[in-house]
Amino acid sequence: MDPVLYAKDRDSMAPEIEMSWDEYKEELAHVISQMMFVSGETAEPSPETTTIIEEIVHTQVVEMLKRSTALATRRGSRSISTNDLFFLIRHDKAKLSRLVTFLSWKDVRKTAKDSDDKGGDAADIGGDDPLGGADAGAGGGGPVVGDTGKKNRRTKVTLPWDVSSYFSEQVPERDDDEDEDEEEMNAATILRLKTADERTKNMTKEEYVHYSECRQASFTFRKAKRFREWAGFHLYTDSKPNDDIVDILGFLTFEIVQTLTEEALQVKAEEEKMKNRTGEANAQSQKRKRETGLFGEQEEGRTPIGPKHIQEAFRRLQVKPIPGRNRVWMGGPRALHRTELRLVSI
């Protein structure tokens, strides 16, 4: 399971933190800077940069809520479901598979926790123990699967647009069965782990501890109530969304910040490369290119990502083709002109 998703699952069980609206806004700026650090930005971003990222993320969340509400209305429901959000990211099969896997394991963990709360001494009963005698409340381990029986096996989630959902009879699941979406998810996870390894291989112990703490940054961790107010749930949905909806949006907000930061870093690198070509770079900028420690003195001269880099990154992401979606010519000079807002996280 993706370690970032597992962290979000653990976070969803933590108690809520009481904070004022101003405190939450300050927390968002800190959370965004942590997410940017995990995404490769080692310099401290300016308040203007974090503010514009927050505005973009808020716009993206509102757009997802609007589209999900429209989908729920079309199927005759007043409340949005997880499938409505899944439908929005259906073209990114790897990300969709990660979310589906996350919810599946979350259900297993919840079932195991409920069984422990009700059974008490269930660990003494071999076959009835949901986790095979393991401590379900331990925060450091994931769900234990193996000799636990079919009772706590992760169930396969069937999406409404899957071909298999059209039939009443389903093919029995196999332990070694792995579909194409899971293969893409595993490939994407390996790529992310490889990227994280490249970013952390030269870190000291203290730097890596800081990096690990920043990986836990979340818009929703122990502050789901304020997140609902910030996103404006009451303006776009008629009912209170469940915890799964908040968890999915919390994951997608991290993805949005990460995608924006990585694209902005490319924009900034291209800008510096162009300056070097035109002779505008001085000896100081050449000195910054040398590999230094994360918090070394040489790093003080490094300029962080600015608002202009974020704006250009967002513009590029708006015109990038969506993987898995084909654009069809419908006639007319403005037939391919896009007017709707693109979701950055897909």
Side-chain angles (χ1 to χ4, degrees), residues 153-157 171-175 177:
R153 179 181 298 176
R154 180 172 65 92
T155 58
K156 182 177 178 61
V157 178
V171 178
E173 296 184 25
R174 294 169 47 189
D175 294 336
D177 189 20

Side-chain angles (χ1 to χ4, degrees), residues 25-49:
K25 294 288 288 184
E26 293 178 1
E27 176 69 12
L28 282 185
H30 179 62
V31 165
I32 290 173
S33 64
Q34 288 182 315
M35 292 180 176
M36 294 178 67
F37 175 74
V38 173
S39 304
E41 174 55 283
T42 57
E44 186 69 24
S46 65
E48 293 79 9
T49 303

Side-chain angles (χ1 to χ4, degrees), residues 1 5 9 81-83 85-86 96-110 154-155 157 159 242-248:
M1 185 178 183
L5 283 178
D9 188 15
S81 68
T82 56
N83 285 336
L85 286 174
F86 287 160
L96 176 61
S97 182
R98 291 168 69 195
L99 282 172
V100 170
T101 303
F102 157 62
L103 292 183
S104 299
W105 281 118
K106 182 181 178 182
D107 183 65
V108 171
R109 285 167 56 84
K110 184 176 183 300
R154 180 172 65 92
T155 58
V157 178
L159 300 173
N242 56 35
D243 293 337
D244 289 343
I245 299 293
V246 176
D247 286 339
I248 292 174

Side-chain angles (χ1 to χ4, degrees), residues 47-279:
E48 293 79 9
T49 303
T50 56
T51 299
I52 193 172
I53 291 180
E54 179 190 342
E55 293 174 354
I56 292 175
V57 174
H58 181 265
T59 304
Q60 294 279 300
V61 172
V62 168
E63 184 68 17
M64 286 187 282
L65 290 176
K66 288 181 178 179
R67 296 186 187 181
S68 299
T69 303
L71 291 172
T73 303
R74 292 175 62 182
R75 58 182 174 81
S77 176
R78 298 181 59 185
S79 59
I80 62 177
S81 68
T82 56
N83 285 336
D84 296 323
L85 286 174
F86 287 160
F87 187 77
L88 298 180
I89 62 173
R90 65 192 183 280
H91 296 293
D92 193 336
K93 295 182 179 180
K95 190 171 298 178
L96 176 61
S97 182
R98 291 168 69 195
L99 282 172
V100 170
T101 303
F102 157 62
L103 292 183
S104 299
W105 281 118
K106 182 181 178 182
D107 183 65
V108 171
R109 285 167 56 84
K110 184 176 183 300
T111 302
K113 186 176 183 300
D114 292 342
S115 299
D116 279 358
D117 293 340
K118 293 179 181 179
D121 298 330
D124 297 332
I125 307 175
D128 296 332
D129 181 15
L131 292 180
D135 183 10
V144 179
V145 290
D147 299 332
T148 58
K150 297 181 180 179
K151 177 180 176 181
N152 297 297
R153 179 181 298 176
R154 180 172 65 92
T155 58
K156 182 177 178 61
V157 178
T158 302
L159 300 173
W161 54 89
D162 287 342
V163 177
S164 58
S165 65
Y166 302 158
F167 305 95
S168 57
E169 297 292 334
Q170 300 293 327
V171 178
E173 296 184 25
R174 294 169 47 189
D175 294 336
D176 59 345
D177 189 20
E178 188 176 79
D179 55 20
E180 295 181 0
D181 294 348
E182 289 184 346
E183 292 178 358
E184 292 188 21
M185 178 193 67
N186 294 335
T189 301
I190 293 175
L191 180 60
R192 286 183 176 274
L193 291 175
K194 182 179 179 181
T195 303
D197 182 65
E198 289 293 327
R199 291 171 179 166
T200 59
K201 65 181 181 180
N202 294 321
M203 288 184 180
T204 63
K205 179 180 179 180
E206 292 76 14
E207 293 168 353
Y208 188 77
V209 168
H210 176 68
Y211 177 86
S212 301
E213 293 174 352
C214 291
R215 287 193 66 192
Q216 303 300 320
S218 171
F219 278 67
T220 59
F221 171 36
R222 303 184 66 184
K223 41 187 178 285
K225 179 180 178 182
R226 287 299 180 188
F227 176 78
R228 291 187 178 97
E229 295 178 4
W230 173 80
F233 275 73
H234 61 286
L235 299 175
Y236 308 105
T237 58
D238 294 335
S239 62
K240 182 180 179 181
N242 56 35
D243 293 337
D244 289 343
I245 299 293
V246 176
D247 286 339
I248 292 174
L249 290 176
F251 166 73
L252 292 177
T253 51
F254 185 96
E255 293 288 313
I256 293 171
V257 176
Q258 185 177 53
T259 304
L260 278 173
T261 303
E262 291 175 348
E263 190 71 25
L265 286 172
Q266 293 183 9
V267 172
K268 184 172 178 292
E270 292 175 5
E271 181 184 68
E272 293 178 347
K273 186 177 181 180
M274 183 62 65
K275 288 182 179 180
N276 291 336
R277 286 182 178 179
T278 56

